[in-house]
Amino acid sequence: MSLDDLYRETILDHYRHPRNKGVLEGADITGEGANPLCGDEITIFLIVRDGVVRDVRFEGKGCSISQASASMMTELIKGRPVEEARGLIAAFKAMMHGEPANGDLGDLEALQGVRKFPVRVKCATLGWVTLEGALQELASR
């Protein structure tokens, strides 16, 4: 199996079996995002206690890239301090815009191939941009 096949398999696994998908009752904050060019939609639900992302879920519809990226994102940030989550947002967005992966992104490195297709980068970053907005709104309260 080639590296590209392994990456493709990881993305399809998260798309077909999304982790942390569904409405999170009692969420502290809900963020919504959409990509009008392709119709992808994401809603992020967060419970944050003592500066730590205690729980996160997402709802959405769209392409395999947007949904798999959101699934992988929720696995990565759950249980992490908000500031660490912000660092992961920056690292992922940098990777999707050509920076080398920093090794903390886990399965998300499977999405590196997407950056060859600039239109799809918006699909991959939709959940992250939505999460970033939700965290900013939470901080402004």
Side-chain angles (χ1 to χ4, degrees), residues 59-82:
E59 282 277 308
K61 64 178 185 177
C63 69
S64 60
I65 300 298
S66 70
Q67 302 302 299
S69 179
S71 172
M72 290 185 250
M73 176 188 75
T74 61
E75 283 197 312
L76 195 61
I77 69 161
K78 196 175 198 175
R80 293 192 187 232
V82 169

Side-chain angles (χ1 to χ4, degrees), residues 37-54:
L37 295 176
C38 64
D40 292 341
E41 297 177 0
I42 295 279
T43 302
I44 304 288
F45 305 91
L46 289 166
I47 292 179
V48 177
R49 299 285 188 270
D50 301 322
V52 174
V53 177
R54 300 291 178 190

Side-chain angles (χ1 to χ4, degrees), residues 103-131:
D104 292 337
L105 295 174
D107 284 351
L108 283 157
E109 292 181 26
L111 293 167
Q112 287 185 82
V114 171
R115 61 187 182 197
K116 296 177 200 163
F117 309 97
V119 173
R120 303 302 303 271
V121 169
K122 280 191 140 198
C123 301
T125 58
L126 177 61
W128 294 84
V129 170
T130 304
L131 171 65

